[in-house]
Amino acid sequence: MGKKLYIKTYGCQMNVYDSDRMADVLTPLGYAPSPSPDGADLVILNTCHIREKAAEKVYSELGRLRALQEQRRAEGGRMIVAVAGCVAQAQGEEILDRAAGVDIVLGPQTYHRLPEMIAEVEGGGARVLDTEFPAEDKFDFLPEETAAPGVSAFLTIQEGCDRFCTFCVVPYTRGAEQSRPVDAVVREAERLVAGGAREITLLGQNVNAYHGAGPDGREWRLGRLVRRLAEIDRLDRIRYTTSHPRDMDDDLIAAHGEVSALMPFLHLPVQSGSDRILAAMNRRHRADDYRRIVDGLRTANPDLALSSDFIVGFPGERDADFAATLALVTEVGFTQAFSFKYSPRPGTPAADIGDQVPEDVKDERLAGLQQLLRAQQDAFNQRQLGRDLPVLFQSRGRHAGQVVGRSPYLQPVHVLAPETLIGGIRPVRIVEIMPNSLKGEVVDAPAREELAVA
Ligand code: 5AD
Ligand code: SF4
């Protein structure tokens, strides 16, 4: 009998990847993905701990699930509830205390053991808590058989972080930095492409710290790995996220000019433009180092578009520090960005700094920064009007007859065209700019990934 599995994913792209791998692990047990928790035999919340708001969402969702669990029990069935991901890793016991309906709590490094955990719960055993950082590597235990990948697929190549930025929980929830061997990454990439993926986004909490064991017995950095992956036939687009400026080495920068499959869009978080705040954040670079890296990237590929993350209201941030952030943004120019109010995270050094910034000041700075970033994004989108962009079509649109794809800069592009385009790259003339997407028309010419500079 088939069983229903509902997975709700919060947070980053690695959680999306992990959720898919959990589904793969559970397929041999007869679990098939279901679009809603109604009638599910197993619900997994794959959680995010990066900011307080993200973590709190989990408890409200668990509250809602409780009612469904009761209903299921009244009908003589059972809904197992598991909490996975970074909240699970950080709060293990607390989740079991706070949420009576939770049967399993598992961290990001133990999900290959899900079948045993479920067997234990089904066998009437106690609730399961497994937030170890096991000696074995979960990737060695994950099935090679996976659900068909989409046109654009994720591939985790690196996990964990050793940088210990003072605001960040990642080094604690995801553990020490670890890179997968080159051969394992190449094999997985080849499988994804054989399954229909045309684009692969390489994932890691600090992906450009990648230093996996190469087939030649040496450590390979990310630039070399990207060059190797670019040799895979029909892998048209390669992206990677998220990077740290300090780990942007010369070879990776050069790859942006030399590897045509490497897309001209890079998410490179800077967090702040103030050297004082960068130091307090333990970022280990100055604002000028970031400017230099961006110059190097743009020399390698003048078409490169940049995205970033920012935190406003880090403890001790004065008006002058915030002004330095605005100055950096104005100078560098971002085509897209994420900005957040500082959120103190238990167990991180910055949470214990006395000089916390009042909430209303954070609100004001966030609004100012977002206004500037929005204007830059709008200006960048406007510059695409009339251009022909190669678009990788990924899915049907919301409206009848519409297909949606992505530009090289990750902008969603809507086109009225047949569904047969899905899975391929076609040149699209941009005819209208919407707030968060572009509208275009397919141009009847062969697709070219090499773009003229706008
Ligand atoms: N408060 C606010 N934002 C944070 N980020 C990470 N930790 C915190 C925090 N404690 C942001 C950073 C990071 C992104 C993923 O989330 O900008 O790059
Ligand atoms: Fe967190 Fe990124 Fe800093 Fe690592 S480099 S501690 S993941 S913000």
Side-chain angles (χ1 to χ4, degrees):
M1 249 289 270
K3 294 177 187 169
K4 280 191 189 170
L5 165 67
Y6 173 70
I7 305 184
K8 182 158 183 168
T9 309
Y10 301 82
C12 65
Q13 289 156 323
M14 193 178 288
N15 268 8
V16 175
Y17 177 88
D18 287 349
S19 292
D20 287 346
R21 297 293 76 74
M22 286 192 263
D24 291 339
V25 167
L26 296 169
T27 307
L29 272 64
Y31 285 97
S34 164
S36 105
D38 294 306
D41 300 284
L42 172 61
V43 172
I44 301 176
L45 303 185
N46 194 9
T47 63
C48 171
H49 199 238
I50 197 89
R51 285 169 293 276
E52 192 182 354
K53 253 194 207 159
E56 278 307 313
K57 279 186 196 158
V58 177
Y59 289 100
S60 29
E61 185 64 29
L62 286 172
R64 281 193 290 275
L65 284 175
R66 197 66 219 251
L68 287 178
Q69 270 183 308
E70 295 298 333
Q71 191 185 328
R72 200 65 206 281
R73 185 164 304 143
E75 294 161 2
R78 173 157 199 197
M79 175 195 279
I80 297 176
V81 172
V83 180
C86 290
V87 177
Q89 189 65 44
Q91 300 190 349
E93 290 278 359
E94 193 184 331
I95 296 172
L96 292 176
D97 289 347
R98 270 178 76 173
V102 174
D103 302 290
I104 299 170
V105 174
L106 73 159
Q109 304 311 336
T110 56
Y111 59 72
H112 55 295
R113 297 176 180 169
L114 257 173
E116 289 97 300
M117 298 181 205
I118 291 167
E120 196 167 329
V121 169
E122 280 178 337
R127 301 157 89 193
V128 176
L129 171 68
D130 190 350
T131 51
E132 252 190 79
F133 286 106
E136 83 263 13
D137 182 350
K138 70 179 172 219
F139 290 108
D140 294 337
F141 293 85
L142 294 177
E144 296 214 339
E145 284 306 313
T146 58
V151 177
S152 175
F154 293 132
L155 200 177
T156 293
I157 63 166
Q158 178 279 343
E159 220 177 320
C161 185
D162 294 341
R163 287 241 166 249
F164 289 92
C165 300
T166 55
F167 52 80
C168 185
V169 288
V170 164
Y172 311 96
T173 58
R174 288 277 173 170
E177 210 261 283
Q178 231 184 329
S179 296
R180 295 177 68 189
V182 171
D183 280 346
V185 171
V186 172
R187 270 202 311 276
E188 187 166 336
E190 284 171 345
R191 275 203 307 273
L192 291 169
V193 172
R198 304 284 303 271
E199 169 175 277
I200 292 181
T201 302
L202 307 174
L203 298 180
Q205 269 84 36
N206 184 9
V207 73
N208 61 339
Y210 180 82
H211 59 103
D216 54 0
R218 298 185 176 209
E219 269 190 4
W220 285 31
R221 299 296 318 262
L222 183 57
R224 191 161 179 201
L225 179 70
V226 163
R227 290 169 204 271
R228 170 67 188 85
L229 294 173
E231 290 170 10
I232 298 175
D233 205 29
R234 290 185 64 79
L235 177 53
D236 297 310
R237 293 183 165 193
I238 300 173
R239 303 178 186 275
Y240 59 92
T241 197
T242 289
S243 297
H244 192 292
R246 272 290 294 262
D247 293 305
M248 217 61 225
D249 66 24
D250 290 344
D251 184 50
L252 183 55
I253 291 175
H256 277 275
E258 293 162 8
V259 180
S260 60
L262 193 54
M263 288 292 95
F265 175 84
L266 177 62
H267 182 64
L268 188 61
V270 64
Q271 315 296 355
S272 168
S274 153
D275 288 342
R276 217 173 58 81
I277 296 299
L278 288 169
M281 288 176 164
N282 190 32
R283 293 288 290 178
R284 296 159 176 269
H285 66 82
R286 292 162 172 270
D288 276 350
D289 298 321
Y290 189 85
R291 290 182 177 92
R292 257 194 304 278
I293 293 163
V294 168
D295 284 348
L297 284 161
R298 285 182 169 152
T299 303
N301 183 358
D303 193 38
L304 189 90
L306 278 168
S307 155
S308 196
D309 289 343
F310 298 90
I311 295 177
V312 299
F314 185 81
E317 187 187 67
R318 310 261 177 275
D319 285 343
D321 299 307
F322 179 61
T325 299
L326 294 180
L328 181 92
V329 171
T330 304
E331 227 172 286
V332 171
F334 294 94
T335 62
Q336 195 257 329
F338 302 97
S339 43
F340 313 99
K341 290 191 282 183
Y342 171 68
S343 163
R345 308 307 292 126
T348 60
D352 298 325
I353 302 176
D355 203 0
Q356 299 287 331
V357 173
E359 209 52 31
D360 57 333
V361 176
K362 286 186 193 173
D363 284 331
E364 202 178 309
R365 288 180 187 162
L366 186 67
L369 176 60
Q370 290 189 336
Q371 193 180 5
L372 176 59
L373 290 167
R374 181 78 236 180
Q376 292 190 337
Q377 181 172 352
D378 289 347
F380 178 72
N381 287 344
Q382 283 298 335
R383 288 204 294 280
Q384 312 306 318
L385 196 62
R387 279 185 83 184
D388 292 350
L389 298 178
V391 171
L392 172 59
F393 287 101
Q394 288 171 228
S395 59
R396 267 189 249 158
R398 218 172 298 152
H399 304 293
Q402 216 181 33
V403 284
V404 188
R406 295 277 181 164
S407 77
Y409 318 107
L410 223 49
Q411 297 146 302
V413 182
H414 300 261
V415 176
L416 284 177
E419 272 175 41
T420 48
L421 290 193
I422 293 171
I425 295 171
R426 298 292 289 270
V428 170
R429 181 150 310 153
I430 303 305
V431 296
E432 195 181 332
I433 312 300
M434 326 272 274
N436 295 308
S437 62
L438 311 176
K439 256 191 192 168
E441 291 163 359
V442 174
V443 181
D444 288 326
R448 280 189 313 129
E449 277 289 6
E450 287 90 355
L451 294 169
V453 179

